[in-house]
Amino acid sequence: MQHIQIESIELKNYRLFRSAELRNLPRLCVLVGANGSGKSTLFDAFSFLKDALTQNVGTAVARRGGFRELISRGESGPIGITIRFRESSGRLATYQLEVAEDGGRPVVHREVLKFRRGQKGKPWHFVDFSRGRGSAITNEDEYGQEGVQEQRTEHELDDPSVLAIKALGQFKEFRVIAEFRNLIENWHISDFHISDARPSVEAGYAEHLSTRGDNIPQVAQFLFENHRDQFDKILRAMSQRVPGVSKVEAKSTEDGRLVLRFQDGSFKDPFIARYVSDGTIRMFAYLVLLYDPKPHPLLAVEEPENQLYPELLHELVEEFRDYSRRGGQVFVSTHSPEFLNSTTLEEIYWLVKRQGFTEIHRASESELLRNLVAEGDLPGSLWTQGLFEGAGLR
């Protein structure tokens, strides 16, 4: 299930998203809109689902200021997140999570994981729970076979704020549930901070870049030692985009810590990470993330253009697109016309805040935009001209 295609995401009563849906999602999805239009809120919905799975909905809600802060203004609930996706085998699946309050405590109001084969096939509810009680399929290996009916067992969880896919996904008899749980656990919602990426870190082992980017030296060391081909690709890209950089290494210090060192061909001694520019560190972090030998099934990155020269953004878009082809569906928000110029209308969605709530539009569904691009205009240029109605630059 690692090579799934998310086809739609629906949010109900989630902060600015009182009722909104992204439909017909491509492998690379680029979001634009004015500040405060909901781009960060959409990414937070991804994080919320991952937090609810790895912890519980109570913790996920508390991290966001409580139920009253999370629910859309004027609404009573429940808060809903629905994801429809297609496996590599072609099965259409839907995961639906609703969160409500019970006695002042957030609980799982409803949780359903269902699969459907074909357009007319009746879906099987592999998981169907409400407030800690529900049932799960026991004959999942027979799903889709002619004439076979679903068989179910009833379950009761100790905590109504725990997701059923977390509790049942620990058992081998629920293979499909376990795979879906693993899928969400491996989502990467980037929260990269330059200040975290600069300090030296304890020597250790890390295969993947952390969400805040504070383990870059460990991941660089891992790639150098175990995936030299990918590391060399990163170094070639760095040398092309950052003039003078001829070598990058993770060097151990006397006290057993790792620091990144960047060799500039014009100087005898290398620079350690704290002395190189923000753009250099950020570019290296993105390359480490995007050349990961095992792409995350979902990657979300906000405004990757920050601290980067505009002329570098075309290559960065291509690397995001290549990452999505290798198996990781990518969501990127941007305020950069140059970044947008390297994308297609099919990849662009714009968010507009009207009467306090967010609406979502797909650029390829606008006849005006399609005609202008067909005549040679670029998406970023059309955006700066105000032709993405309601989606200003800032």
Side-chain angles (χ1 to χ4, degrees):
M1 287 182 61
Q2 294 300 309
H3 292 82
I4 70 159
Q5 170 84 29
I6 297 176
E7 296 194 348
S8 71
I9 300 168
E10 183 179 1
L11 300 176
K12 288 188 178 297
N13 299 327
Y14 194 97
R15 288 184 167 160
L16 293 173
F17 295 98
R18 183 168 60 182
S19 180
E21 184 177 8
L22 288 97
R23 300 184 299 272
N24 303 315
L25 287 167
R27 297 295 301 178
L28 172 62
C29 177
V30 180
L31 306 170
V32 296
N35 285 334
S37 61
K39 301 185 299 297
S40 295
T41 303
L42 176 63
F43 284 14
D44 182 65
F46 294 143
S47 295
F48 175 85
L49 189 53
K50 184 173 180 178
D51 288 345
L53 174 63
T54 56
Q55 303 293 323
N56 55 53
V57 297
T59 299
V61 169
R63 285 179 177 173
R64 289 154 180 84
F67 194 82
R68 293 297 102 191
E69 291 295 319
L70 189 59
I71 194 169
S72 297
R73 178 171 45 84
E75 299 298 324
S76 58
I79 296 168
I81 301 175
T82 301
I83 297 177
R84 296 178 181 86
F85 60 94
R86 194 172 296 277
E87 294 181 84
S88 56
S89 63
R91 291 195 304 186
L92 182 66
T94 300
Y95 180 71
Q96 175 187 351
L97 174 64
E98 294 180 352
V99 178
E101 262 194 326
D102 188 354
R105 179 189 181 193
V107 297
V108 178
H109 178 68
R110 184 83 190 277
E111 182 184 9
V112 174
L113 174 62
K114 59 185 178 182
F115 288 80
R116 187 180 74 185
R117 172 167 283 174
Q119 292 298 316
K120 298 181 180 179
K122 183 180 178 181
W124 279 20
H125 288 212
F126 277 59
V127 169
D128 196 335
F129 271 68
S130 178
R131 302 184 182 239
R133 297 179 179 179
S135 61
I137 291 287
T138 57
N139 62 330
E140 62 179 40
D141 289 338
E142 297 178 316
Y143 173 75
Q145 296 181 20
E146 190 70 29
V148 174
Q149 299 297 315
E150 61 179 44
Q151 298 173 13
R152 318 186 63 80
T153 54
E154 298 293 324
H155 301 269
E156 182 172 357
L157 307 179
D158 293 334
D159 184 350
S161 71
V162 171
L163 298 189
I165 60 171
K166 176 181 181 179
L168 299 178
Q170 302 176 60
F171 302 102
K172 63 181 181 181
E173 59 263 36
F174 299 113
R175 178 185 53 81
V176 170
I177 298 171
E179 289 177 349
F180 183 71
R181 167 188 165 167
N182 184 64
L183 178 79
I184 296 177
E185 285 178 335
N186 284 289
W187 284 1
H188 184 98
I189 301 92
S190 178
D191 187 25
F192 181 79
H193 289 260
I194 288 290
S195 59
D196 291 334
R198 289 188 180 280
S200 59
V201 298
E202 295 289 346
Y205 179 84
E207 293 187 23
H208 306 287
L209 193 68
S210 65
T211 57
R212 296 181 68 87
D214 55 358
N215 64 345
I216 295 179
Q218 294 170 339
V219 181
Q221 187 78 5
F222 170 79
L223 292 174
F224 178 81
E225 294 176 353
N226 298 280
H227 297 278
R228 186 62 182 269
D229 57 334
Q230 294 298 95
F231 185 86
D232 288 344
K233 289 179 182 178
I234 293 171
L235 188 58
R236 284 196 295 271
M238 282 293 293
S239 63
Q240 292 168 1
R241 296 174 206 181
V242 184
V245 171
S246 59
K247 183 179 180 182
V248 182
E249 63 179 353
K251 190 71 173 177
S252 297
T253 64
E254 291 183 0
D255 61 354
R257 301 178 70 82
L258 282 174
V259 295
L260 280 178
R261 304 205 312 175
F262 294 81
Q263 180 69 56
D264 188 315
S266 303
F267 297 88
K268 179 180 178 180
D269 297 320
F271 297 94
I272 61 174
R274 73 168 66 101
Y275 297 125
V276 301
S277 70
D278 288 353
T280 298
I281 289 288
R282 185 174 288 270
M283 176 57 72
F284 186 70
Y286 284 142
L287 292 172
V288 167
L289 177 63
L290 294 173
Y291 282 88
D292 192 317
K294 297 181 180 179
H296 296 278
L298 182 146
L299 171 65
V301 180
E302 289 195 71
E303 300 179 20
E305 67 270 13
N306 291 341
Q307 285 96 37
L308 297 182
Y309 291 112
E311 56 266 27
L312 299 179
L313 297 181
H314 174 74
E315 287 83 0
L316 188 60
V317 172
E318 286 302 317
E319 279 154 349
F320 277 121
R321 193 174 283 128
D322 182 64
Y323 186 96
S324 73
R325 295 189 190 106
R326 292 194 293 123
Q329 197 161 2
V330 178
F331 292 79
V332 178
S333 69
T334 185
H335 281 299
S336 166
E338 290 82 7
F339 189 96
L340 213 57
N341 278 339
S342 297
T343 65
T344 68
L345 289 182
E346 289 72 20
E347 294 169 334
I348 302 170
Y349 291 75
W350 84 85
L351 280 60
V352 182
K353 191 176 179 181
R354 300 190 194 280
Q355 298 181 333
F357 299 104
T358 298
E359 299 176 358
I360 301 174
H361 304 271
R362 192 178 189 186
S364 61
E365 294 176 357
S366 166
E367 183 178 2
L368 173 63
L369 293 177
R370 291 199 307 270
N371 290 339
L372 291 172
V373 168
E375 292 172 3
D377 287 295
L378 295 174
S381 301
L382 298 175
W383 181 42
T384 58
Q385 295 172 43
L387 296 178
F388 287 55
E389 185 182 356
L393 285 174
R394 295 291 172 190

